Amino acid sequence: MLGAFDVVVDGRPVAVRGGPAVVLAALVAAPNRLVSTTALAGYVWPDQPELQVPGNVQTLVSRLRRAIGGASVETVGNGYRLAVPEEAVDLWRFRRLVREASEATDPLAEATALDAALELWRGGPFADLLGDRVAPGLVDEWFTAYVRRVDLDFERGAYAPHIAELGRLTSRYPLREVAWHRLVLAQFRSGRRAEALETYQRAVRLIRRELGLDPGAELREVQRLLFGGAEEPRPRRTVPRQLPASSRFFTGRAAELTALDRLTSGVAAIVGAAGAGKTALAVHWGHRAEVRFPDGQLYLNLRGFGPGQPLEPSVALETLLRSLGVPAGQIPAQLDAQSALMRTLLSGQRLLLVLDNAFDSEQVRPLLPGAGCLVLVTSRNQLRGLVGQDGAHRIRLDPLTTTEADTLLEQVVGGQRTRAEPAAATALAAAAGQLPLALMIVAERAARQATLPLADLAAELRSDRHLDRLVLGDDSAGDIRSAFSWSYEALEEPARRMFRLLGVLPGGEFGVPVAAAVAGVTDGQAARLLDRLASLHLVEPASTGRFTLHDLLREYAAELVTDQATARERVLDWYAHTALAGRQAMSNGYDNEFYVPLRSADVRPQRFGGYDDALRWFEAEAESCLWVIQQAAAEGRHGLAMMATKATWLFMYLTARWRDMRAANLAVLESARAHSDPYAEANALNHLSIAVEMLGDVDQALAYARESADRYRRTHAPRGELVVLVNMAGTLNALNRYDEALELHRQAYLLAEQVNDVVLQAGALEVGSTACSGLGRHAEAIDNGRRAVELYRKQEEPGRVAGGLLALARAYAAAGDDSAVETLREALGMAQRDNLALRQADIRVELGRQLRAAGDRAAAIAEWRTALRIFADHDDPRAADVEALLGA
């Protein structure tokens, strides 16, 4: 990769060109790490967003796999990873050798390692495949290695051998001042004083013309050497190189490193939660980009979060000024004068200033130098003022990806152990929440206990008091609970209380209304408190009005709650009653027979403007609704569990969340039996029959349905029995037992008329339409289908209309009526409008069949491929049926 693009497989050159070559280059730039499909598309088609779609990337990856061997390019989540040994890629060998050079104990060993590293370069990296999106960072790495190798020769008096190459470098990279400095010095020390003076003047003119800046400290010093004749220069000012050592285990953050590579001056704010690796990123990049800053690198811990008080700006400035060589007696007493002096000293210099662990923007602002320098500020605070008023670039750090977390564990623990227990390694990363600090604590423990199976350690971390195990015994900085506490202690009490109470919420995203409910405050007050928590990354904004709380922070918050039972009661009440309001908005006139009143009068359930509004809420809160049902059932709140289950059933049905439906109803079935409630038992059994049928277990579905019908008859609940009859008819249709299904259809339709339930009349007609089609009674099938759709429309049941249209289209198709395709397209449009993914897939499967029958093979394949992707995304067993259609 370090020159003309070249691929060799098993000793044989392989031609990889065009899009597949760009994909390979992007994967190599992120060794053994996930690169998302979106990122790959951006590399291949940077100026053609219409081409940046997953399908196009998949095609390029398929071509690449055919060229280099499919085993090397792994599909991981929503992207790909190149899995090859380090020695197979020159770029990775180069980085290993540079690392060895930095660890060498004598100049000869360092020079040998650098020579081996630099010999790998055969020109510009990636042969211009990725342009400026990847190359600048790699050029910086080469420059740093090359300049260090030159300096080693300079230290032993060898100047002349480097003049020619340094001359070429100043032509190719005219704004790299470090190359000009070494060239002038080499020419002067080799007795070519006139050439050195001319080179110096050319460099100064170019820098002033292109950057509007004076030359940096190194060129200014060599100026004194030039104009002082043959005399030795004055003692050089020590160029500050204050960055702490970079961790050899630094992993990932490719996008963030690229963003930093693009910066030349100004301010960048690296923000994120405690333990996210902000300092590690700043230090790692600072070392990598050292050559960009010929005037030095300053580092200062502002102690914004941690034991003790944050560093006062005046104290911080005094420290920085001393680092720049200002005697203590010459440092002004006033803050403004100190700031002005530092700006004066750093004016025009190319210097990196890392201000670590800042408390807020006001602490940082007086420390900012003038033009030319780059400042990296790390903080748990979002530093909104620094971004809004001072134009800082904000770079937010999230937890590592699964792939990056696994890679970090492998580096610390050893690849042999992680490959032997891959599932346990992934579980360890999950237990650490994929936060770098927690991961390093876990990895250190695993490395220290070399004989302990990783699975045992993962099981221990999953047990109670999880945070107790995320601590390094001899280092308070290695205690995740302490790291969290410093952010918590920086809050005011109302925000602290809100944070504590968030610990009882279920996982995933949550909205402002539920936070208001658990805290007993208004929505406006809750929004302001959550914004305060977000400013310190104790919560993270998600979609509009919604937030997330990291699992480890959730556990820490729960430890601080003094009355968890009361807080959880408020949460359960809010979710159950909000779900009821959502069901009522989706079904006009819905009345939950399991209604239980609110226990807390000041809990205000959310209200909805209509079907679409409610559907969006259910989609956002699906996981939380399931948690509420299971939690209420486990705590003995049987009525509330039943109310929530019935309230969420329509949403689960319309969006085909069959596993959630099964889990919820297994919980309430156990609760119903424990409370001797046969009517609730019948409800749960009926819903279980639907869920397990859609998951592929038809026999169990019929068994549940028969047991449910029996319970309804014994409790004299004809409407419940009617629901089961309709569902059983649908199951029998799926088994091609159309005669039995038609008989149940008749029973159900008569019973629906008796109880005056129009929606279930439509349901009976829908299953009757399918049964009639199966028996060849096409006119009846079409009539039943039309009547079902008409009734659904009258009852304003948009989610069900698409299902009725699908049944009608199948009736048309069986009768040879050309209306089938048009009806399916109408059904698909309604399913798309209501965002019913699996219903869309059902319709697309049938639409593909009709298109194939009409001779449009390409259109049929397109529909089936889309349906397959939807089924696969939802882990739906019907994916196998679509694969068979495509295979045929």
Side-chain angles (χ1 to χ4, degrees), residues 266-312:
V267 184
I270 302 174
V271 301
K278 302 178 289 297
T279 302
L281 172 63
V283 169
H284 177 81
W285 183 83
H287 282 294
R288 195 176 87 168
E290 178 180 336
V291 71
R292 291 192 182 189
F293 306 104
D295 296 321
Q297 297 162 313
L298 296 177
Y299 170 88
L300 185 61
N301 183 355
L302 297 179
R303 301 202 295 248
F305 298 88
Q309 295 297 311
L311 210 62
E312 290 293 334

Side-chain angles (χ1 to χ4, degrees), residues 533-716:
L533 297 179
S535 72
L536 295 185
H537 291 277
L538 287 168
V539 299
E540 295 292 347
S543 51
T544 303
R546 296 180 65 77
F547 297 84
T548 59
L549 180 64
H550 191 279
D551 289 344
L552 294 180
L553 279 166
R554 187 185 309 280
E555 183 177 341
Y556 176 64
E559 289 182 351
L560 303 174
V561 181
T562 55
D563 189 355
Q564 284 203 25
T566 300
R568 189 163 53 248
E569 179 180 287
R570 296 173 69 89
V571 171
L572 295 179
D573 275 356
W574 185 87
Y575 269 110
H577 282 266
T578 299
L580 175 58
R583 176 64 188 274
Q584 289 169 337
M586 293 177 70
S587 301
N588 291 333
Y590 174 77
D591 183 20
N592 194 315
E593 65 261 55
F594 291 99
Y595 180 82
V596 294
L598 285 163
R599 289 187 177 181
S600 302
D602 61 341
V603 170
R604 295 175 297 278
Q606 194 165 328
R607 293 291 178 257
F608 301 98
Y611 180 94
D612 292 339
D613 190 21
L615 181 63
R616 282 191 294 270
W617 181 84
F618 275 118
E619 287 172 338
E621 299 285 4
E623 292 182 13
S624 296
C625 286
L626 176 60
W627 175 86
V628 166
I629 293 166
Q630 294 172 322
Q631 191 72 29
E635 293 184 9
R637 298 191 66 183
H638 171 63
L640 192 75
M642 286 304 306
M643 184 177 90
T645 304
K646 290 284 284 184
T648 57
W649 178 84
L650 179 61
F651 164 71
M652 291 182 180
Y653 178 81
L654 293 176
T655 55
R657 294 177 181 268
W658 311 122
R659 287 176 176 79
D660 284 0
M661 188 183 292
R662 179 178 61 187
N665 284 281
L666 284 172
V668 296
L669 177 61
E670 183 179 347
S671 177
R673 287 171 174 168
H675 287 80
S676 301
D677 186 348
Y679 182 72
E681 192 177 344
N683 267 272
L685 288 164
N686 177 42
H687 295 163
L688 279 169
S689 71
I690 298 169
V692 299
E693 178 189 349
M694 298 310 296
L695 291 171
D697 193 345
V698 181
D699 291 336
Q700 183 62 63
L702 287 172
Y704 279 141
R706 293 191 183 99
E707 193 176 354
S708 174
D710 176 67
R711 297 290 187 279
Y712 278 128
R713 279 191 291 271
R714 283 198 277 166
T715 55
H716 307 289

